[in-house]
Amino acid sequence: MPDTIAKHCLSFDVEEHFQVSAFESPMRRRHWDQYESRVEANTEKLLELLGNRQIRATFFVLGWVAERYSSLVRQIASAGHEVASHGYAHELITAQTPAAFRDDIRKAKGILESILSQPVLGYRAPSFSITKDTMWATQILVEEGYVYDSSIFPVVHDRYGVPSANPDVHQLSTASGLLWEVPPSTVKCLGVRVPVAGGGYFRLYPYPLLRTLLRKLERKGSPLVMYMHPWEFDPKQPRMEGSILSRLRHYMNLDKTEFRLRALLQDFAFSPIREVFPQIAQYHGIQMKASMKVEGTFPPVSPSDVLLN
């Protein structure tokens, strides 16, 4: 693929099929270790698929998974992918206190950095659960050494989303310093911001329609920020009990995901987040050297500003 083609971000939230928030319950959480683990095989399938296309991505790895499959984390990194944090226990921030959230993201970062012997810069909340009510989490992310977040989804949704949030990559100003925000991709259609970043949307939309919407963003000069999960490439996974809506969202078109990803990789060029937005890694370097103010393409905004159009 020619180097002149714009680069976009492809990311994967590495978690087990039974850890998704839609099927969350205290009883199920207590039995996580008793369910069939499929995350290692599913992630290795993805690594092979990406390797065949010479595509590198960002993998937001759950600390719980990294603790049990440290060799998988090293395999991801050794293939040239970026390893970032998905927190430790896959608990929604909306259900946590600030102290519990701090413990969760600190534990996850510590596990990943111990395995990799290198800094972890990025974070993505389970189910994008940084909302207008949990914007306090951005300050804690800065305090715990994270440089960027990819959790604020500028859409209307029953479980997550900040509809009026800035849809472009930008900096948030918190009381403890700056944090880069890398929102999942959305596109405005008839005045409504439509999610096109991946996940269930990737399985819901016919691929030709999705490609048209992604091309629209690309023509505007906006790098795509796509996300998926290893379990979305596993149509034979054991079925979990849950509401009709949860089961529809989770199991719909799992048999089509791999084919669509292959098409996506053919149509667009991808790299890890920290490479598509080099100002993120640059800012980390500046922080490490002493704390000069970073000068980026995108203007800093405050956490309250991110809620405005």
Side-chain angles (χ1 to χ4, degrees):
M1 209 172 270
D3 292 337
T4 54
I5 294 179
K7 292 284 179 140
H8 305 294
C9 305
L10 180 63
S11 63
F12 298 92
D13 296 352
V14 181
E15 63 199 44
E16 293 278 13
H17 65 100
F18 51 78
Q19 293 174 321
V20 297
S21 301
F23 296 129
E24 169 70 12
S25 74
M27 176 68 73
R28 182 168 285 134
R29 181 176 287 274
R30 285 197 295 271
H31 291 87
W32 274 3
D33 279 316
Q34 297 177 24
Y35 291 116
E36 178 187 356
S37 174
R38 300 173 74 89
V39 69
E40 188 173 33
N42 290 336
T43 305
E44 287 176 345
K45 179 197 297 185
L46 280 174
L47 291 174
E48 181 179 5
L49 194 158
L50 296 174
N52 290 340
R53 294 284 306 166
Q54 297 185 317
I55 297 288
R56 291 174 302 111
T58 295
F59 285 75
F60 291 92
V61 183
L62 196 68
W64 189 94
V65 170
E67 203 170 46
R68 288 158 177 76
Y69 299 101
S70 57
S71 61
L72 179 64
V73 177
R74 284 189 285 269
Q75 189 178 349
I76 292 169
S78 66
H81 304 289
E82 176 187 8
V83 174
S85 169
H86 197 33
Y88 178 79
H90 210 267
E91 294 188 65
L92 299 178
I93 301 177
T94 47
Q96 295 185 70
T97 64
F101 174 68
R102 185 186 298 276
D103 289 344
D104 181 272
I105 63 171
R106 178 182 292 176
K107 184 175 183 178
K109 197 171 194 291
I111 290 169
L112 293 171
E113 291 181 343
S114 176
I115 293 170
L116 298 171
S117 298
Q118 64 184 41
V120 167
L121 304 187
Y123 172 78
R124 177 174 289 152
S127 297
F128 303 104
S129 52
I130 294 184
T131 66
K132 63 180 182 180
D133 295 325
T134 56
M135 204 60 65
W136 47 260
T138 59
Q139 178 177 340
I140 297 174
L141 285 169
V142 173
E143 292 169 355
E144 292 302 317
Y146 289 91
V147 178
Y148 76 87
D149 171 67
S150 184
S151 307
I152 301 177
F153 212 151
V155 295
V156 175
H157 192 277
D158 60 329
R159 297 177 64 88
Y160 56 76
V162 182
S164 57
N166 187 339
D168 299 315
V169 174
H170 57 281
Q171 282 182 302
L172 293 172
S173 177
T174 79
S176 297
L178 297 173
L179 180 72
W180 286 98
E181 182 60 39
V182 184
S185 289
T186 56
V187 61
K188 214 159 194 179
C189 296
L190 301 175
V192 177
R193 191 155 291 286
V194 176
V196 292
Y201 310 110
F202 190 68
R203 292 179 281 117
L204 171 64
Y205 303 150
Y207 182 71
L209 171 61
L210 181 70
R211 180 176 55 206
T212 298
L213 295 173
L214 295 177
R215 290 291 187 208
K216 180 177 179 179
L217 270 180
E218 188 177 52
R219 285 193 299 271
K220 287 178 55 183
S222 299
L224 307 179
V225 180
M226 307 293 293
Y227 76 93
M228 297 172 200
H229 307 81
W231 54 259
E232 292 185 279
F233 297 83
D234 182 12
K236 296 182 179 179
Q237 64 189 262
R239 265 33 182 181
M240 307 292 287
E241 293 182 4
S243 69
I244 293 175
L245 180 59
S246 293
R247 284 185 279 123
L248 178 64
R249 285 173 171 171
H250 187 86
Y251 298 117
M252 177 185 57
N253 291 338
L254 290 179
D255 58 332
K256 295 181 172 65
T257 317
E258 182 175 341
F259 171 80
R260 291 181 180 181
L261 178 60
R262 290 180 185 275
L264 185 75
L265 298 183
Q266 180 68 38
D267 292 335
F268 299 91
F270 292 99
S271 289
I273 288 173
R274 66 194 294 173
E275 294 182 19
V276 174
F277 304 108
Q279 59 269 41
I280 289 175
Q282 176 192 22
Y283 181 50
H284 174 67
I286 291 173
Q287 282 183 312
M288 295 292 287
K289 286 178 184 177
S291 109
M292 296 159 54
K293 188 174 181 181
V294 67
E295 294 182 3
T297 306
F298 305 92
V301 296
S302 70
S304 59
D305 289 340
V306 78
L307 303 180
L308 304 175
N309 285 320

